[in-house]
Amino acid sequence: MNTTPDPDTRLKEAFHAVADNAPDDPSAEDVARVWSAVAGELPAEERRQLVERTATDAPLAQAWRVAHELHQAQLDGAVNVRRSSSWWPAALMGIAATLIVAAGVRVLYFDRTPADVYRDSGGYVITSELATDAALPRDAFVLKWKPGPQGSRYLVRVTTADLQVIMTAPELTAAEVTVPSTALAPVPAGGRVLWQVVMSSPAGETVSSQTFVTRVR
Amino acid sequence: MSSSTESIDYAKLRQDFVRAVARLCPTWLSSQRDDLVQAAIMRVMQIVDRQSGGNDAPAFASSYLYRVAHSALVDEIRRATRRQETALDDAPVDSVAVTFNDPERITASRQIGRAIQDCLSAMHRDRRLAVTLHLQGHSVPDAARVLDWPAKRTENLLYRGLANLRECLMNKGMQP
């Protein structure tokens, strides 16, 4: 078995590390073009031009690496998009149903810069009031977030780590919600719960949060 | 048959995400990689659902799904990276899940990375392209496919380009 280490590992690590503190993100258009290039959908010269940009544009280079990895995975065996009435778990159907509520959310990858999707929403960002990876007691599992403008309403969806929906709470007027201990039954002590907030402001603006992670104590 | 629904094998996509993130972010804690994967999967589901309009039979080709997945994963990696950078800047090390093992090594690595960028900028274009793809993790045959050049030519350009790069870094006082 050949276990010769890659002599250029350090060079590669250094080249990749530049992206970590690069302030700017690649635009949605560039990200899409990178995928097209890696997938061989762009003409050769356009592919070369993109490669040339990645030499000095670290975030774009990072997007290229992500595309390269995923494209390899796709070639190894693409995700099935298949007809089945039985495979789709009820839990995923549930989360899909709740996601429909967010269909109007203006968090689009394809019409704005991905990194700014939240900040662009009128300048409002939904942030958790809980510490990163906080652990809450099962019988007082209160999720809290920074309130939006007066009169805002919130939808909160909560899932287990494997995406089973355990609670969906629509039309909340307060910036907090209690997850009943009965809903937390599938989550073991120390287990993680994922939650997202979708805010509708009185002005008609809709903002979606990132996914927050909270543990059950 | 008509009542069946198109469904997407999110388990496979999740496996792909896990593998990709493990390779792309090897220094991160596994719990943080898990969180990133979960967030990215949820974003993909959100986009897919929005694109389908909530219908039961979205016509998603695999290629489209992976395109969406790529966008979501890039976004989540950038978001997670920003959070880590903010944590490094703002918080005591033990108050957040900072994953970097050695800040000095990271700083040094970034300095070398920026020097690599400078050296690439000064390099002959064709060599620059070959070396860039090598640094991005492409094999010679794969780089040749992307660049639409013969493999032998790509290999020669890479060989000469790497020599240029090492010489350039040495001139900057860096040992590659």
Side-chain angles (χ1 to χ4, degrees):
Chain A
M1 183 183 294
N2 182 7
T3 57
T4 305
D6 181 353
D8 297 325
T9 296
R10 188 163 153 76
L11 281 178
K12 291 176 182 176
E13 285 178 354
F15 185 66
H16 301 175
V18 183
D20 291 343
N21 67 343
D24 299 322
D25 292 340
S27 69
E29 182 184 359
D30 278 344
V31 170
R33 281 174 57 76
V34 161
W35 179 262
S36 297
V38 172
E41 298 167 2
L42 287 184
E45 183 51 33
E46 289 186 39
R47 295 200 299 268
R48 293 183 203 114
Q49 288 172 4
L50 261 182
V51 172
E52 188 163 19
R53 285 181 58 198
T54 62
T56 53
D57 184 335
L60 192 67
Q62 187 178 50
W64 184 286
R65 290 192 293 278
V66 175
H68 182 49
E69 290 291 340
L70 277 186
H71 190 245
Q72 290 296 318
Q74 183 185 8
L75 294 179
D76 289 346
V79 167
N80 290 326
V81 181
R82 59 189 176 184
R83 288 194 172 276
S84 167
S85 55
S86 59
W87 178 86
W88 187 269
L92 285 182
M93 290 294 284
I95 198 170
T98 59
L99 289 173
I100 293 171
V101 178
V105 175
R106 298 187 312 181
V107 184
L108 299 175
Y109 284 94
F110 299 111
D111 63 359
R112 64 179 72 193
T113 303
D116 294 330
V117 289
Y118 299 116
R119 284 189 290 268
D120 282 357
S121 300
Y124 189 79
V125 180
I126 300 173
T127 55
S128 170
E129 296 281 31
L130 305 178
T132 303
D133 215 16
L136 299 177
R138 191 178 292 272
D139 55 356
F141 204 85
V142 184
L143 305 176
K144 298 180 180 179
W145 56 95
K146 181 183 165 191
Q150 183 74 26
S152 293
R153 292 180 180 275
Y154 310 94
L155 176 148
V156 178
R157 51 176 171 269
V158 185
T159 77
T160 61
D162 59 357
L163 297 179
Q164 293 180 53
V165 177
I166 57 177
M167 189 183 82
T168 302
E171 294 296 313
L172 300 173
T173 55
E176 66 174 53
V177 65
T178 300
V179 182
S181 58
T182 51
L184 293 169
V187 185
R192 287 175 300 150
V193 164
L194 312 182
W195 54 288
Q196 287 182 312
V197 179
V198 179
M199 181 196 77
S200 299
S201 75
E205 182 183 41
T206 306
V207 180
S208 178
S209 78
Q210 67 177 72
T211 303
F212 304 116
V213 180
T214 302
R215 292 185 183 277
V216 179
R217 194 179 296 163
Chain B
M1 185 184 297
S2 61
S3 63
S4 64
T5 57
E6 291 272 355
S7 59
I8 296 170
D9 188 351
Y10 282 109
K12 167 68 168 73
L13 187 62
R14 184 181 162 127
Q15 283 177 6
D16 293 345
F17 275 10
V18 167
R19 190 174 72 167
V21 171
R23 288 171 60 92
L24 293 162
C25 313
T27 62
W28 293 14
L29 295 175
S30 61
S31 61
Q32 287 180 303
R33 294 203 298 255
D34 289 347
D35 292 346
L36 190 158
V37 167
Q38 295 288 3
I41 287 286
M42 292 181 84
R43 297 289 288 266
V44 171
M45 295 169 80
Q46 192 174 19
I47 294 169
V48 166
D49 187 68
R50 187 172 55 237
Q51 295 293 315
S52 70
N55 292 329
D56 283 344
F60 291 117
S62 169
S63 57
Y64 174 79
L65 183 68
Y66 276 92
R67 179 182 289 274
V68 169
H70 172 240
S71 174
L73 193 53
V74 168
D75 191 40
E76 290 300 334
I77 288 175
R78 295 298 299 164
R79 190 188 305 277
T81 303
R82 261 196 304 278
R83 280 200 297 270
Q84 290 188 336
E85 288 296 311
T86 302
L88 271 180
D89 291 344
D90 298 345
V93 170
D94 59 356
S95 68
V96 292
V98 175
T99 57
F100 298 114
N101 298 323
D102 182 350
E104 284 185 12
R105 184 180 171 210
I106 291 164
T107 301
S109 195
R110 287 175 186 165
Q111 285 176 345
I112 296 172
R114 280 188 281 273
I116 291 172
Q117 288 182 324
D118 288 344
C119 292
L120 287 172
S121 297
M123 197 180 290
H124 180 276
R125 187 197 187 218
D126 288 357
R127 293 180 187 178
R128 174 165 65 242
L129 298 182
V131 172
T132 298
L133 284 180
H134 175 69
L135 295 176
Q136 291 281 63
H138 288 259
S139 64
V140 168
D142 205 26
R145 180 188 60 79
V146 171
L147 298 170
D148 197 27
W149 292 337
K152 193 65 186 172
R153 175 169 189 250
T154 306
E155 188 173 22
N156 289 338
L157 288 165
L158 174 60
Y159 180 79
R160 295 191 178 104
L162 281 173
N164 292 157
L165 176 59
R166 292 196 176 93
E167 182 181 5
C168 177
L169 290 173
M170 296 275 273
N171 290 338
K172 289 177 179 288
M174 294 177 179
Q175 184 71 43

